[in-house]
Amino acid sequence: MSDLLTFYDFRVLIPIGIAASVAYLGIYIWKYLIVWPIKTFLSLRFVILFFKAIVNPFKIKQYPPPYKPNKKRNSNKKTKANGTNEVQGKIVKRSQVDQYIFNQSTLNATANSIFSPEFQYCEELTRDALFEKYPDHAKKRELCSICIENLHSKDLLLLLPCDHVYHRDCLHDFKRTLQTTNSNQVVMVRCPTCQLNLVRLYQYYIDHGLDFKEVKFDNKG
Ligand SMILES: [Zn+2]
Ligand SMILES: [Zn+2]
């Protein structure tokens, strides 16, 4: 018997077999327990980032954010405003809005919003509906002071919180004209009659968690 090892000798085959098993196990562990989870994690992350990048330019953020009633702030208790005044009960006075210190960038974003959120706090209704709901307006024989025309029964109107009423389209045209003539400025729509700043009023309600349907606005207070 020669001591020379041949390949088929079990003293060679066993260590080779063990080494092969260990190597295979190592590769297996590397492949499925380390590389695969990392790859999956990264690819998922990139898939998400990829879709975000695709979707974002087309996504128009809903502005203004949907109204959420805030029971704590919108109660009858005194609500602390960031400015100099407090909202008490359900009445917002014009002077409170005038004195309130706004976050300028938020206010500008509201003013520049293509959704014209400031008009959301104006009631949209026909003249017939206006006269029925607010009989005081029926007595006044008002004109739309933008187009200086009578209000006709089926005309769509906007009733502003200051109680001034205009044709809806006239008010939107009024805003558009303001924007085109002051294209490099932030345009804040004001009531053409009493100069109430509708953007500031809207932002005031949002900042204080107030629902315009529940709050009475006092234009003279
Ligand atoms: Zn008009
Ligand atoms: Zn007004």
Side-chain angles (χ1 to χ4, degrees):
M1 278 275 280
S2 160
D3 264 354
L4 198 72
L5 288 172
T6 61
F7 183 72
Y8 303 103
D9 195 301
F10 71 95
R11 282 168 298 173
V12 175
L13 279 179
I14 288 171
I16 285 176
I18 291 170
S21 310
V22 168
Y24 183 78
L25 201 71
I27 291 167
Y28 191 88
I29 288 171
W30 171 252
K31 201 173 163 186
Y32 292 104
L33 293 179
I34 296 166
V35 176
W36 187 80
I38 291 172
K39 260 191 178 171
T40 313
F41 174 74
L42 288 180
S43 61
L44 275 178
R45 227 185 98 229
F46 284 119
V47 165
I48 291 163
L49 286 177
F50 176 74
F51 278 109
K52 268 193 183 166
I54 287 182
V55 166
N56 267 348
F58 300 105
K59 202 163 80 183
I60 301 167
K61 253 202 223 152
Q62 196 191 346
Y63 198 92
Y67 174 72
K68 286 190 208 113
N70 189 335
K71 289 212 171 73
K72 242 191 251 164
R73 299 181 76 186
N74 197 10
S75 67
N76 277 323
K77 276 184 248 156
K78 281 184 181 180
T79 312
K80 188 115 178 68
N82 298 338
T84 47
N85 258 294
E86 287 175 334
V87 180
Q88 221 175 333
K90 304 261 181 197
I91 296 172
V92 170
K93 292 177 181 171
R94 183 162 175 169
S95 58
Q96 283 172 269
V97 183
D98 287 343
Q99 286 163 30
Y100 178 65
I101 298 153
F102 288 91
N103 176 328
Q104 202 57 45
S105 58
T106 314
L107 194 65
N108 291 350
T110 304
N112 289 332
S113 168
I114 56 164
F115 297 103
S116 294
E118 65 271 30
F119 294 146
Q120 283 184 11
Y121 280 13
C122 306
E123 211 174 327
E124 191 180 309
L125 68 191
T126 62
R127 193 208 68 177
D128 285 349
L130 173 82
F131 284 6
E132 203 185 308
K133 203 168 168 188
Y134 306 99
D136 280 356
H137 281 276
K139 294 176 204 153
K140 282 195 238 170
R141 295 184 59 84
E142 289 160 297
L143 298 172
C144 165
S145 65
I146 298 172
C147 65
I148 331 281
E149 295 247 354
N150 282 315
L151 309 175
H152 301 289
S153 62
K154 297 279 178 268
D155 287 356
L156 255 187
L157 311 172
L158 277 181
L159 176 64
L160 272 50
C162 52
D163 216 30
H164 293 123
V165 65
Y166 306 94
H167 289 119
R168 189 194 65 172
D169 294 345
C170 288
L171 206 59
H172 280 274
D173 286 346
F174 174 72
K175 181 181 178 181
R176 231 168 285 138
T177 312
L178 273 179
Q179 281 176 325
T180 40
T181 47
N182 305 284
S183 56
N184 48 356
Q185 287 169 44
V186 177
V187 170
M188 307 239 182
V189 185
R190 289 165 175 273
C191 168
T193 305
C194 70
Q195 300 300 311
L196 172 72
N197 189 322
L198 298 174
V199 177
R200 284 174 65 97
L201 181 65
Y202 170 84
Q203 195 59 50
Y204 186 88
Y205 281 20
I206 290 289
D207 286 3
H208 293 80
L210 298 168
D211 181 354
F212 83 106
K213 286 175 192 136
E214 292 171 9
V215 172
K216 210 179 129 42
F217 177 67
D218 179 3
N219 198 28
K220 294 185 175 76

